[in-house]
């Protein structure tokens, strides 16, 4: 993790056991990821969220009582996620509340409802990140929604007719169906007029993203790569680096050459060919994930550190359980961190 950033953000306080929880109390939480709806309008093979039947959503009245915590913790950005955040029945009210708190709002979305919700998005959101799973045919196949890619394109145009300067980015999960198509995915992103495209390896080994259990081997094999496919991915990544050097340099492709090659490494680690290595990450010290049920995680992958139903967000973030977790977490050696595919290495704008 970035120890310098973490050190700026936390202070040491005595725990109830009389021992000092070194570097564990958070005084500033720049990023809050908010799961606002548990259901989704896609049927992706690499995700279980859509299989939930109850479709719970964030209670805005209950969430509003955390306003003081948001201000006290100095939250700068709230990322709306799910499920599909746009399924929330009072999406406009949620954005209005967050804007009154003075935060920047990023929307993570499948993109299927962009056109339908274009006005609310243009007025309430500062940035959009859309999941893109390859060129059109493959994207629709992965999402298992006919015409999904076309709806994304129409939605982008609808939002930009209202707010031309809206930053809209793509994020692509590399997996079996798309591992040979990174260059085509970039070309497709340009065709959709996205401001950038980023890539990450598919997660097949954790209980993140509402999975009740770790996937069995048969399910993992639908997403993960064989040794032969990893070799093909490695060749595709090298071709991407060579042919799209200017896109990498300009950050149209968000990842550096090293990070693109790290995607290949993740799949080799999954196969047991090389030992897993933790990415640089300070997520538990600079961000938190609040679920629909009020539970709070230090990141998508680690377990809950408390619940906001009977406490404020600030109380949960700085509870003894949360402080003990941060004080004892060694990112380099933690097995969950070692297999993380979606890390955060936040650097303060002041740094």
């Amino acid at each position: 993790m970035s120890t310098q950033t973490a050190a700026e953000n936390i202070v040491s306080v005595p725990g109830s056991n009389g021992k000092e929880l070194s570097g564990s109390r958070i005084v500033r939480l720049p990023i809050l990821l908010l799961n606002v709806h548990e259901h989704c309008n896609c049927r992706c093979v690499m995700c279980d969220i859509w299989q939930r039947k109850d479709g719970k959503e964030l209670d805005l009245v209950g969430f509003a009582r955390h306003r003081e915590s948001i201000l006290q913790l100095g939250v700068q950005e709230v990322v709306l996620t799910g499920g599909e955040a746009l399924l929330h029945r009072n999406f406009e009210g949620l954005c209005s509340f967050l804007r009154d708190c003075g935060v920047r709002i990023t929307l993570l979305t499948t993109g299927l409802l962009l056109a339908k919700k274009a006005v609310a998005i243009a007025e309430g959101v500062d940035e959009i990140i859309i999941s893109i799973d390859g060129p059109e045919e493959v994207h629709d196949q992965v999402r298992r929604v006919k015409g999904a890619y076309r709806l994304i394109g129409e939605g982008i145009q609808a939002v930009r007719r209202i707010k031309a300067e809206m930053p809209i980015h793509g994020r692509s999960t590399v997996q079996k169906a798309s591992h040979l198509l990174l260059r085509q995915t970039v070309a497709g992103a340009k065709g959709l007029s996205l401001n950038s495209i980023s890539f990450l390896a598919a997660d097949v080994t954790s209980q993140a993203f509402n999975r009740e259990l770790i996937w069995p081997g048969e399910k993992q094999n639908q997403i993960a790569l064989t040794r032969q496919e990893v070799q093909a991915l490695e060749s595709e990544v090298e071709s991407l680096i060579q042919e799209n050097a200017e896109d990498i340099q300009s950050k149209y492709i968000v990842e550096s050459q090293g990070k693109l090659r790290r995607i290949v490494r993740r799949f080799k680690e999954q196969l047991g060919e090389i030992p897993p290595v933790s990415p640089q990450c300070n997520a538990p010290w600079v961000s938190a994930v609040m679920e629909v049920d009020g539970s709070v995680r230090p990141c998508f992958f680690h377990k809950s550190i408390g619940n906001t139903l009977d406490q404020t967000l600030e109380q949960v973030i700085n509870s003894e359980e949360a402080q003990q977790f941060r004080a004892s977490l060694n990112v380099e050696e933690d097995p969950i961190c070692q297999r993380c595919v979606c890390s955060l290495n936040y650097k303060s704008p002041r740094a």
Side-chain angles (χ1 to χ4, degrees):
M1 59 163 285
S2 174
T3 54
Q4 179 180 357
T5 302
E8 292 175 350
N9 193 45
I10 50 186
V11 294
S12 301
V13 298
S16 61
N17 58 2
K19 295 181 179 179
E20 188 175 60
L21 303 178
S22 179
S24 59
R25 183 176 183 85
I26 289 180
V27 297
R28 192 173 68 89
L29 187 78
I31 302 170
L32 176 64
L33 297 103
L34 200 58
N35 183 350
V36 302
H37 203 288
E38 279 195 337
H39 202 51
C40 189
N41 50 8
C42 286
R43 300 291 183 268
C44 305
V45 65
M46 69 282 194
C47 177
D48 292 341
I49 292 175
W50 60 271
Q51 298 184 47
R52 291 184 174 270
K53 298 179 181 179
D54 48 11
K56 294 179 182 177
E57 65 180 19
L58 184 76
D59 175 40
L60 182 52
V61 174
F63 177 68
R65 70 185 184 86
H66 300 296
R67 174 185 175 89
E68 186 59 33
S69 289
I70 292 172
L71 298 176
Q72 183 178 349
L73 290 167
V75 175
Q76 298 173 358
E77 179 177 5
V78 171
V79 180
L80 303 179
T81 182
E84 173 52 63
L86 290 174
L87 289 174
H88 196 284
R89 287 172 292 181
N90 194 6
F91 181 81
E92 295 92 335
L94 176 60
C95 290
S96 178
F97 168 76
L98 292 171
R99 283 203 168 279
D100 287 343
C101 293
V103 302
R104 186 174 188 273
I105 302 172
T106 295
L107 170 66
L108 302 187
T109 178
T110 64
L112 301 187
L113 293 174
L114 287 178
K116 185 176 181 179
K117 300 275 190 178
V119 174
I121 294 167
E123 294 178 353
V125 169
D126 297 289
E127 178 185 42
I128 303 170
I129 300 176
I130 306 173
S131 297
I132 302 292
D133 292 295
E136 183 169 3
E137 182 178 351
V138 172
H139 177 85
D140 289 1
Q141 173 191 336
V142 169
R143 294 277 150 177
R144 293 194 279 200
V145 174
K146 187 177 180 180
Y149 201 87
R150 173 182 53 79
L151 287 173
I152 289 173
E154 293 173 356
I156 291 171
Q157 292 176 26
V159 171
R160 287 206 169 125
R161 278 195 293 268
I162 303 170
K163 188 177 181 180
E165 72 278 13
M166 174 72 80
I168 307 179
H169 309 279
R171 177 174 293 168
S172 185
T173 301
V174 180
Q175 48 129 321
K176 188 179 289 287
S178 62
H179 73 284
L180 293 176
L181 304 170
L182 273 61
R183 287 170 291 172
Q184 290 187 42
T185 301
V186 173
K190 292 178 179 179
L192 290 170
S193 299
L194 294 173
N195 293 98
S196 72
I197 182 74
S198 64
F199 294 94
L200 72 159
D203 169 50
V204 299
T205 60
S206 81
Q207 287 181 258
F209 313 114
N210 290 299
R211 296 173 190 162
E212 295 184 0
L213 298 170
I214 295 176
W215 280 343
E218 181 180 352
K219 176 70 172 179
Q220 292 185 26
N221 290 338
Q222 296 178 34
I223 310 300
L225 306 185
T226 65
R227 283 181 171 82
Q228 184 176 0
E229 288 168 337
V230 171
Q231 291 175 356
L233 171 63
E234 191 164 23
S235 177
E236 175 69 9
V237 166
E238 293 305 319
S239 294
L240 177 68
I241 290 172
Q242 181 177 359
E243 296 175 19
N244 295 78
E246 290 185 5
D247 291 326
I248 296 172
Q249 179 67 28
S250 68
K251 289 294 183 180
Y252 184 83
I253 297 175
V254 174
E255 286 73 28
S256 64
Q257 295 183 17
K259 288 185 177 180
L260 288 169
R261 291 178 174 127
R262 203 171 300 153
I263 294 172
V264 179
R265 180 185 175 90
R266 275 290 178 249
F267 285 105
K268 289 182 178 181
E269 292 170 355
Q270 291 172 10
L271 289 171
E273 293 184 355
I274 54 177
V277 176
S278 298
Q280 285 190 324
C281 182
N282 56 6
W285 290 268
V286 297
S287 68
V289 180
M290 181 186 288
E291 305 283 4
V292 169
D293 64 2
S295 61
V296 177
R297 296 171 177 263
C299 70
F300 283 116
F301 301 93
H302 283 283
K303 293 181 179 179
S304 170
I305 52 174
N307 197 294
T308 57
L309 292 181
D310 54 0
Q311 300 181 83
T312 67
L313 175 62
E314 194 279 332
Q315 287 172 333
V316 173
I317 292 294
N318 285 316
S319 66
E320 185 165 343
E321 179 181 357
Q323 291 185 57
Q324 289 282 11
F325 169 81
R326 290 190 292 269
S328 62
L329 179 63
N330 184 324
V331 172
E332 290 184 1
E333 297 181 3
D334 185 87
I336 292 177
C337 295
Q338 287 176 340
R339 298 188 180 279
C340 177
V341 298
C342 188
S343 60
L344 171 67
N345 188 26
Y346 176 85
K347 295 181 180 179
S348 170
R350 299 171 305 182

